[in-house]
Amino acid sequence: AGRMPSLGGPGQTATTTFDLGCSLLGPAEVAILLQSGLAAVPQGRQVQQNQRMLLEILVSQPPLFLKGVLYELSNNGSSRVLTTHLLALLDLAQDVVRSHARVDVADL
């Protein structure tokens, strides 16, 4: 959890706490890795497993972490870019991953 000083004025000591979870990867790193996996032309076994693990990281973190990843995927606020990445995630290939280990991306 990070702390940011309040912008209320001099002498005020109130702070705001941001819970970004406990992942070794931050939202920017997860977004970059998701993008690289989606851009891989042959989405083989390793790419599919990596994408699955990244999605599990997303689900296990607090909502602010997910918002950060979505913001990074949006290329700093572009709804068109975010939509493209989200549609690519819906079409994520999982044919090499065992059926019991597949992630239903639409439910996320």
Side-chain angles (χ1 to χ4, degrees):
R3 292 197 174 271
M4 177 178 235
S6 175
L7 301 176
Q12 292 184 350
T13 59
T15 59
T16 304
T17 302
F18 296 101
D19 186 10
L20 291 177
C22 58
S23 173
L24 293 175
L25 299 173
E29 291 84 12
V30 171
I32 289 170
L33 291 171
L34 278 172
Q35 287 175 348
S36 66
L38 293 173
V41 177
Q43 289 188 347
R45 179 182 174 88
Q46 194 62 50
V47 172
Q48 290 180 24
Q49 286 179 341
N50 289 342
Q51 294 294 81
R52 180 179 171 270
M53 287 189 297
L54 289 169
L55 291 173
E56 286 178 358
I57 289 173
L58 277 178
V59 173
S60 69
Q61 299 303 313
L64 186 59
F65 188 90
L66 175 62
K67 289 178 185 177
V69 171
L70 291 175
Y71 181 74
E72 294 293 334
L73 280 175
S74 73
N75 198 12
N76 298 326
S78 171
S79 59
R80 183 175 295 170
V81 173
L82 179 61
T83 301
T84 302
H85 288 304
L86 291 177
L87 287 174
L89 278 173
L90 286 175
D91 292 334
L92 185 65
Q94 297 188 55
D95 56 340
V96 182
V97 180
R98 293 182 181 150
S99 60
H100 71 278
R102 294 182 182 167
V103 176
D104 188 5
V105 181
D107 277 349
L108 298 177

